[in-house]
Structure formats: C-alpha cells, structure tokens
Amino acid sequence: MARRQTFWLHLLFLACWTSFGEAEYMKYKDPKQSINVRIKDLMDRMTLAEKIGQMTQIERKVASAQVMKDYFIGSLLSGGGSVPGPQASASDWVNMVNELQKGSLSTRLGIPMIYGIDAVHGHNNVYKATIFPHNIGLGATRQVDLALVKKIGEATALEVRATGIPYVFAPCIAVCRDPRWGRCYESYSEDHNIVQEMTEIIPGLQGDVPANYHKGVPYISGKVKVAACAKHFVGDGGTHNGINENNTIVNRDGLLSIHMPAYYNSIMKGVATVMVSYSSWNGVKMHANHDLITGYLKNTLHFRGFVITDWQGIDRITSPPGANYTYSVQAGINAGIDMVMVPYDYSEYINALTSLVNKHVIPMSRIDDAVRRILRVKFTMGLFENPLADLSLVDQLGKKEHRELAREAVRKSLVLLKNGKSRNDSFLPLPKKAAKILVAGSHADNLGYQCGGWTIEWQGASGNITVGTTILGAIKTTVDHLTEVVYSENPDEKFVKDNGFSYAIVVVGEPPYTETAGDNLNLTLPDPGPSTIRTVCGAIKCVVIIISGRPVVIEPYVHLMDALVAAWLPGSEGQGVTDVLFGDYGFTGKLSRTWFKSVDQLPMNVGDMHYDPLFPFGFGLTTGPTTARLSTSSPASAAAAAAAADVRKEAYWVVSLFLSLSMAWVSTYLL
C-alpha cells in the first residue's frame, strides 16, 4: 500500500513538474524575453492552420468570437462606414472590439488579433471624432509648421485608441501627378519632397523611433500609439490619365525617384505596415510584383514589418476580379504579401492557401516569413501584454484640444489665390462689422461636403453627418453681433442686387467622393456652382471659397471675383476658415499642387517643359493678422498699418541685437 502511494505521489509530482516546465518554456508570453526569442518560441508551437489564420484579415461584419476562435483569424478591420451602430460611442466601439478579441484569446495559443481601420484624416469612421483636413490641405501647410502634421498624428492615435483600435491604414504617401485621379486629395503633393516631409505624421501615430534603432524594424511606443500603414505601394498616384487602379507607365528610374522616396522615409521612421496598391506598373499588377514587394521593399529597403493587401486586392490580380482566385492567392503570397484583406469570404482564401502550401506551390518558408512579420508587429506594440482595451481614453474622442488643432490646420492650409482686382486693392481680410452680409453656395452650410470622402461613410455624405462647425456657422459666430448674416444657397440676381449687402461670401465646390467614383476627366465645378459665382460676384463684391479635393476649372470665373481662396477639404472645424477670412490670422498656405488653366494641359507638374499654369506650384498670397479691424478700411490705411507693423518688428530686432552685444561685452570684459 505504501509503495503504491509512493508511486502515485511520484506520478503527481512528475505531472506537476511537466506542467511547470511547459509554462517555463512558453517564452512568447514573457515580455522580458527579446522579441525575436518570443517570435521563434511561438512559431515553433504553431500549426499550419494557425499560421494561415494570422495571415487573414476579415471585415467585422462577418466576424464573431466563434469565427475568431475556429479560424485563428489574425486581424479584423472596419471598412468605410462599417460601425457597431449609428452614432456609436467610443464605449460601444471598445466593447465590440474586446468581444471579438476574446474569441482570439480563447484559442489554444491565445494570439491576439489586431484591429485596423481607415483613419486618413482623423478617426473618420467614428461619430463625434475630430475630422482634420485631407492630405492635400496639409501639404499646403508645409512652409508654416511641419510639426503640425506630427501633432495631428498624435491626436489621431489617441482618438483611435479611445475606441479600442490599435492599427490605422494611414498615411497615404501617394504622389498624385494628375488631379483627375479620384484619390488625389489623399496625396500631400505632386512633389515627392513634400510627401517625404509629411511622413512626419508616422512618429505622431507610432511614437519617435529611439536613437540607434535598427533600420526597417517597426516601432510602436505604447498604449496611446497605433501601428501605421504607408500606402499604396507603389506608384498609385501616377496612373495613366489619373484613372484609379490603372497602369503607371514610367521607367524604373522614374518610379524610384518620384513614387518610392517617401517609403524610404516611412521605413526609417519605423512604420509598422505597408499596403500594396491596386494599380499596375508597366502592365504588372502591384499585388503580384515580386520584384518590388520582396526584391525592393523587403530586401533593398530592409522593411521588417508586414505587407498587407488593399480591400480584395488579390482578387483584382485577374481581370475580371476573382476570375482565377487560386492563381491570385498564389501570385500574391509568392510576391511577398503577408496579410490578405479578404474581407468577406475568408474560408475560400484559407482553403486555397492551405491547398497551395500542401501542394508545395507556395513554400513553407514564405508562410513563415509572413507570420514572423505579423507577430513582430504584434509583439512590438505590446498587444500580447495588453490585448483588451479599457475605457480610460474614451474622453479623447473629439476633445476640445484636438478640435483646436484641427482648426489650426485648417487656417494654415488655406491658400489665397487672389486678393483684390488690382495689386493695390486688397479685399481680404473682411471687416467683421458690416450692415448685412450675403453667404451663398452649396458648400457653405454642409458639413459633409466640407469633410469630403472617407467621412462617416466610405464615399462621404451630404448634411450634418457628424459633430462640427460649418463655414456658415463659423461666419455667424465671428462677425460683429450687429451684423446681419443672410444665407441663400443659390440666390437670383434680383435678390443679390436689391438687399443692400455689404459684400458676399460664396462657398462652392465638389461633392464628396472616394476612389474610382471621384475619377473626373473634365474637373469642372458642379452646378450650380458656376451660376452662383456669376450671379453673386457679377452684382456685388465677393470672395469665393473653393471646397475641393484638387484644383478644378476656375479660370473662366476668376475675373469676376474680388478674392479667391482654395480651402481644400477642411474637415469638421469650419472656424479655421473664418479665422483667416476675417483677419484674426493671416493667410500663409502655399499650393502643394499646380493649378491648371485647362484640363487639356493635364498631366502638368512643376518642372515640366511646357509649364503654363493658372497658379504655379508653391503659389500663395499672404496677409497679416488684423484682429482690431472691425470696419472697412481703405487700402491706404491698411498699408499704413502694415508699415507700422514692419517698423515695430525692425525696432524689436534692433533692441534685441543691442542687448545681445551688450551682454557679450559684459561677459568678455567685466566678468
């Protein structure tokens, strides 16, 4: 009996020791281990099904905790307009993400999923989020405050994390070479140098890469930062005639010198992921381009994060899309793609990839490379230690400080193209104190038009789609309390002439659009924009504000206007427009794109041999702030005020120089 008890005790001890030993060897769960050790330990434990699951990203609409568990899904996303519910709160988002994450954590190895979302000008899918100007506007701020874009990245990261999401499909670092492209507003500039500078948004989103950090390795610095995604690799802004998803026809030197440089900057700044473009390069689909994805991005630029497809990107390798899905999976994965945005029929993708690996069409080494990269990002961002979001950041969504930052971005992005009908007759800034002001145009009181595409809905929408301030609302709160503001969207000539208006503000432009829906070969202002300009500006003094994602045809109307402002797609904070319009701040923005005379000139970019723009790249008139100006003043008095300001500035520098020299003399000879 005693011998039998001793046997069972030994057996129990051995079982406990075995369990203890097993726990000891789960190095991937130990944050004290190096990331490479954790990756190797985890991958040694993974089956093929678990690895392929990590390479799969599906839409939240087809996800559930059970799906996450059964298929070992590595990532989820919200496409444009895909939300937990109408006007969902930050808490609603956190609860949804956590519920799905629990499914991933309940798997055998407990590998957390990573949730991604398009946050291309703020957390644009989410109601009440701060909506910043689209990239084309931010490109116009470059000569004022390059740090501004980093602050926008920081604010966006906080608002995204407020909803429990750790990954954003931003920034777009396309170099748009033709404004007929429907995604041109997602590009900072036609000049790659500006796009390279604007990659400063990446350390805003992810955190500053430490000194001596290994080049190419992704870096995300904590729970208030997100993994970023440089997109769309590569050449998406150079397609023929600006047609979305089309062919970029350029030699290798042209591709590398115009479209590639910003990827180098992004990788140097530790960007976590890169998204592949739908477009082709000289007839080869980018999603199947092994030379550029594996050869150049991974091997030459030493990118160590993961490469992700665009929405159903591998489907579009064939024409028509999905015509030979198995081939598309083979071509995409072998080209070097690591994670596939499926987004719906995940079982077809998983079955196809599994079969291709089992048949040795796709080598296991390619699968391991993909999974190693995905896990590197997850470990780097601390997802294993903090897989579930909490509610501690919900108050960051749309908070006042972020809206003030967006307002600052708006006023610094505005480009003044015309100011007065002669050089000595400035029309702006406008007086705040006037008897009666006319505000006209389809875009004056439409927040959705003001924000553009990628706002609440994929294509954007008309009306008060989220929380913000329209330009009309901002005008009403800016002018003197005795000034009457009259809004008429499209007034007739009699109304304009008979009402004794002091001046008019006309706000017109493009409706919202996204991607192919925005491709436009004529770039004319939609009706009734041109007739509104003619009617109003033909009768009284007016300033025209253009709300658009790119330069549009305005040459026929410029002579009618007293002033012209390119406001791009300013986002939710319309006060940024009135801040500058009424002189609380000066105009400082410069064109990040060439403004053409006629679409017949396109494509036309700075440096071209036959360069004959309406307004050249880098153009932008400037004004000074005139906060005390409450009534209309003559050009002479305005000039006098400006001269006085210059005298004060010169006096300041003279005094400063005298004091500096005096201190230097004292330090040298008396001390």
Side-chain angles (χ1 to χ4, degrees), residues 46 101 121 143 172 180 192 270 289 292 329 347 353 366 372 515 588 594 598 615 622 635:
M46 295 175 72
Q101 183 69 282
H121 62 142
Q143 295 183 351
C172 178
R180 292 174 292 187
H192 70 84
N289 197 313
L292 288 176
V329 173
S347 60
L353 182 52
R366 176 73 273 276
R372 189 177 298 111
E515 299 185 35
T588 54
T594 297
S598 164
F615 300 107
T622 57

Side-chain angles (χ1 to χ4, degrees), residues 179-180 510 520-525 550-553 596 599 602:
R180 292 174 292 187
E510 296 184 297
N520 189 328
L521 293 178
N522 58 55
L523 294 179
T524 54
L525 273 174
R550 54 201 162 187
V552 291
V553 176
F596 58 88
V599 291
L602 300 176

Side-chain angles (χ1 to χ4, degrees), residues 494-530:
K494 186 175 186 303
F495 179 84
V496 177
K497 286 183 175 180
D498 292 353
N499 274 280
F501 294 113
S502 303
Y503 57 82
I505 301 170
V506 179
V507 192
V508 294
E510 296 184 297
Y513 55 81
T514 301
E515 299 185 35
T516 304
D519 286 355
N520 189 328
L521 293 178
N522 58 55
L523 294 179
T524 54
L525 273 174
D527 291 329

